[in-house]
């Protein structure tokens, strides 16, 4: 691992140390299953287990959980070769979450915004072709202007 050449000391000494915090972030976001008094999972009308306090995975949330001041600090830290794979894998999990929300009517707009602003290769562009091909107009007949 590279030595710190002045400035603040690195936030994490090893990728494994960072990975433990990343795993905790995702676990906290997932929430907890609700159980009845006998320990049985509570389900909704469709039979899906009900969770309490789930939060969406976000780049900013991940950055804050890791102790950074914001998403840009996390993106900067990704430039450290020792941490690149660890951070990219965590970002891919956030991207996967947003991508899956595209199929959810309630989360589609937020997911589109998140993907187009936080991940390369995602954009919603309207392309307008301004090249108009005009065909020449040919007049036939004897519609002359009289003097």
């Amino acid at each position: 691992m590279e030595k710190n050449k002045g400035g603040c000391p690195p936030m994490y000494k090893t990728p494994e140390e960072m990975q433990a915090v990343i795993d905790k972030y995702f676990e906290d976001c997932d929430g907890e299953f609700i159980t009845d008094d006998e320990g049985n999972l509570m389900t909704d009308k469709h039979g899906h287990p009900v969770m309490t306090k789930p939060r969406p995975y976000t780049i900013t949330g991940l950055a804050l959980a890791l102790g950074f001041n914001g998403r840009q600090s996390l993106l900067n830290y990704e430039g450290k070769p020792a941490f690149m794979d660890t951070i990219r894998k965590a970002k891919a999990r956030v991207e996967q979450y947003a991508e899956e929300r595209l199929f959810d009517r309630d989360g589609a707009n937020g997911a589109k915004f998140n993907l187009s602003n936080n991940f390369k290769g995602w954009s919603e562009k309207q392309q307008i072709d301004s090249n108009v091909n005009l065909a020449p107009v040919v007049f036939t007949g004897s519609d002359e202007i009289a003097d």
Side-chain angles (χ1 to χ4, degrees):
M1 206 160 27
E2 64 188 53
K3 269 189 148 183
N4 185 27
K5 298 175 184 169
C8 296
M11 294 192 68
Y12 295 95
K13 291 183 173 133
T14 66
E16 295 78 19
E17 181 185 358
M18 176 182 265
Q19 186 63 54
V21 178
I22 290 170
D23 292 342
K24 175 85 169 94
Y25 167 73
F26 288 122
E27 183 182 311
D28 289 348
C29 286
D30 288 338
E32 299 174 10
F33 289 108
I34 299 175
T35 57
D36 62 16
D37 293 336
E38 297 168 0
N40 301 314
L41 285 178
M42 301 289 289
T43 58
D44 62 15
K45 64 182 180 181
H46 303 291
H48 300 114
V50 178
M51 297 189 81
T52 181
K53 301 180 186 172
R55 292 188 336 247
Y57 300 162
T58 66
I59 296 294
T60 303
L62 176 63
L64 294 174
L66 287 166
F68 295 109
N69 291 329
R71 65 183 282 284
Q72 190 58 54
S73 298
L74 173 64
L75 300 178
N76 294 343
Y77 213 83
E78 184 180 4
K80 294 177 180 263
F83 295 93
M84 186 182 315
D85 288 341
T86 303
I87 294 172
R88 284 188 178 169
K89 184 176 179 185
K91 285 173 52 184
R93 191 164 172 190
V94 173
E95 182 178 16
Q96 176 191 15
Y97 173 84
E99 190 175 345
E100 289 173 356
R101 291 300 308 259
L102 290 172
F103 300 98
D104 176 356
R105 181 177 57 193
D106 296 330
N109 288 334
K112 285 179 192 176
F113 178 82
N114 185 5
L115 288 167
S116 64
N117 287 289
N118 286 315
F119 301 99
K120 291 180 181 178
W122 291 92
S123 64
E124 189 171 8
K125 295 179 184 175
Q126 182 178 13
Q127 191 168 358
I128 300 172
D129 186 2
S130 62
N131 295 324
V132 179
N133 294 325
L134 298 175
V137 178
V138 178
F139 293 100
T140 60
S142 61
D143 292 332
E144 295 182 27
I145 301 175
D147 288 322

